[in-house]
Amino acid sequence: MDNDLQQPLITHLTELRDRLLKAVLAILLLAVALFPFANDLYLLVSEPLLKHLPAASSMIATEVASPFLTPFKLTLTTAILLAMPVLLFQIWAFVAPGLYQHEKRLLFPLMFTSTALFFLGILFAYFAVFPLMFGFLTQAAPAGVAVMTDISHYLDFVLKLFFAFGLAFQVPVLTILLIKSGISSRQSLRQKRPYVIVGAFVIGMLLTPPDVISQTLLAVPVWLLFELGIMASRFLPQKPNQTPVSS
């Protein structure tokens, strides 16, 4: 009996190991391919700040290994992001056999949408938020203070904001899951709209620098994406004991 129980467990662990190895291999291959362009990647990421630095200023490296380690860290992070479709496919292939058919129909679109929204959040931060935010922050420096940002600190700051905006753009997926699981309803979420708006600005205050521009540029999309999630939930199939709620 014990052998009968151990055999499926060993089979699942072996499959999990194989899929993890494939995911790690995809990341390593992308990292190796991107490594020759590490400095170019960093230049691309730092461009929103460099455009707003005074003519006599530049970015600096305060640690001996920073000129190498910082672009390398960015390259590895970029490789993980680019390998996300492979990672998600491996996760899907591992869990799909244990799912019901209706769960499969819901999970795959949600995984695809969640990934697309995460990348959209990163692009929004880079093209819409960074130019305004760095323009404000560099101009806010007191007289006599030279703005010379450390490359390692800048990368940590940028990655934090990328991650914050990527997560914030998951609001439609979270909204749909709340409604689909029955934890909440469209009507209930609409009634909570004022609290969601306040919460969006609180999140913007906690995750972005202390300036109104960047806080608003995070809070407003969170609110709009919440509304998008409510509208998209109207297209979810209704359970037999559910009656559609008009919007």
Side-chain angles (χ1 to χ4, degrees):
M1 185 67 178
D2 291 339
N3 290 334
D4 293 338
L5 293 175
Q6 289 178 358
Q7 191 62 33
L9 177 61
I10 293 174
T11 302
H12 289 311
L13 290 177
T14 302
E15 183 183 1
L16 178 62
R17 180 202 62 190
D18 293 341
R19 297 201 176 279
L20 287 175
L21 288 175
K22 291 178 182 178
V24 172
L25 180 61
I27 293 173
L28 290 178
L29 289 176
L30 283 170
V32 171
L34 291 173
F35 184 73
F37 310 100
N39 290 335
D40 296 326
L41 282 174
Y42 191 87
L43 181 62
L44 179 66
V45 170
S46 61
E47 189 175 358
L49 175 63
L50 293 174
K51 285 182 177 180
H52 294 92
L53 287 178
S57 295
S58 65
M59 300 185 72
I60 60 174
T62 58
E63 297 179 4
V64 175
S66 290
F68 170 79
L69 291 180
T70 302
F72 177 78
K73 178 180 178 180
L74 176 60
T75 301
L76 184 59
T77 304
T78 305
I80 294 174
L81 291 175
L82 293 179
M84 195 63 67
V86 177
L87 305 183
L88 291 176
F89 175 78
Q90 298 302 325
I91 295 173
W92 166 257
F94 181 73
V95 303
L99 299 177
Y100 293 107
Q101 193 61 36
H102 70 278
E103 292 174 333
K104 292 181 181 180
R105 287 197 299 266
L106 179 65
L107 181 60
F108 189 79
L110 285 180
M111 290 176 64
F112 175 81
T113 304
S114 178
T115 305
L117 287 172
F118 189 86
F119 282 110
L120 184 62
I122 291 177
L123 293 175
F124 180 80
Y126 182 84
F127 288 105
V129 179
F130 286 2
L132 295 174
M133 180 178 63
F134 291 133
F136 170 80
L137 293 176
T138 53
Q139 295 299 321
V145 175
V147 180
M148 303 178 72
T149 306
D150 176 68
I151 59 173
S152 179
H153 292 165
Y154 174 80
L155 180 61
D156 292 339
F157 178 79
V158 165
L159 292 180
K160 174 186 173 183
L161 286 182
F162 279 157
F163 188 70
F165 276 86
L167 286 183
F169 272 56
Q170 303 302 308
V171 170
V173 175
L174 178 60
T175 304
I176 290 175
L177 288 176
L178 287 174
I179 296 173
K180 179 64 177 177
S181 63
I183 296 176
S184 187
S185 64
R186 288 193 292 273
Q187 183 64 32
S188 175
L189 290 176
R190 283 198 299 269
Q191 292 173 352
K192 294 181 175 64
R193 182 178 288 116
Y195 302 102
V196 172
I197 295 174
V198 173
F201 278 91
V202 171
I203 293 173
M205 178 184 66
L206 294 175
L207 296 181
T208 61
D211 65 279
V212 177
I213 296 176
S214 56
Q215 291 173 6
T216 303
L217 286 175
L218 178 59
V220 172
V222 168
W223 169 44
L224 294 178
L225 289 167
F226 167 76
E227 301 291 346
L228 177 63
I230 292 179
M231 289 188 293
S233 67
R234 298 178 60 189
F235 300 98
L236 291 174
Q238 298 291 325
K239 295 180 181 179
N241 60 345
Q242 287 181 319
T243 56
V245 180
S246 60
S247 59

